[in-house]
Amino acid sequence: MRHYHRTHLTPDEVIALADQFFPSLGLSMTQAASRQREFAGPLGRLVLRLSSEGGHYTRIDIETDQTGESRLDRNVKRFFVQVHRAADPAHALRAAY
């Protein structure tokens, strides 16, 4: 599956969050570049790519080798929540019902 998220965080800040978050799931980093990371483990494989968008946004693209709503895909969404909280710590997440 493919996932994306836009944030005001810099690419370096997003990479630092990814380097902490994904190894905590049991994934090992298999490739590292300045704006790209690849992780693999028992949950599957994912590729994280960062790009600048609109001058002040960082676009995060994550592609997994899983289909449907896998455990890895749910954790990618959890990672996006952490990125959002890092960008705006005062934001309170609320249910939409």
Side-chain angles (χ1 to χ4, degrees):
M1 285 194 79
R2 292 183 178 177
H3 308 273
Y4 79 93
H5 182 74
R6 282 189 198 105
T7 183
H8 289 286
L9 296 178
T10 65
D12 291 336
E13 292 171 318
V14 175
I15 287 289
L17 286 171
D19 288 346
Q20 291 176 341
F21 182 81
F22 292 112
S24 72
L25 301 175
L27 301 173
S28 301
M29 188 183 319
T30 58
Q31 186 177 7
S34 62
R35 292 189 174 209
Q36 181 173 329
R37 293 287 192 268
E38 289 187 25
F39 296 93
L43 297 178
R45 182 180 157 277
L46 72 84
V47 178
L48 177 140
R49 292 181 186 92
L50 303 175
S51 59
S52 295
E53 189 173 83
H56 59 282
Y57 287 111
T58 298
R59 181 183 168 113
I60 307 167
D61 289 298
I62 298 180
E63 186 175 343
T64 69
D65 65 349
Q66 304 295 302
T67 58
E69 184 68 19
S70 71
R71 186 171 164 208
L72 181 59
D73 292 308
R74 286 193 305 269
N75 280 298
V76 167
K77 292 176 184 178
R78 283 184 51 220
F79 172 69
F80 289 154
V81 169
Q82 283 197 350
V83 168
H84 186 79
R85 285 182 180 157
D88 186 9
H91 181 74
L93 296 174
R94 287 178 277 223
Y97 51 84

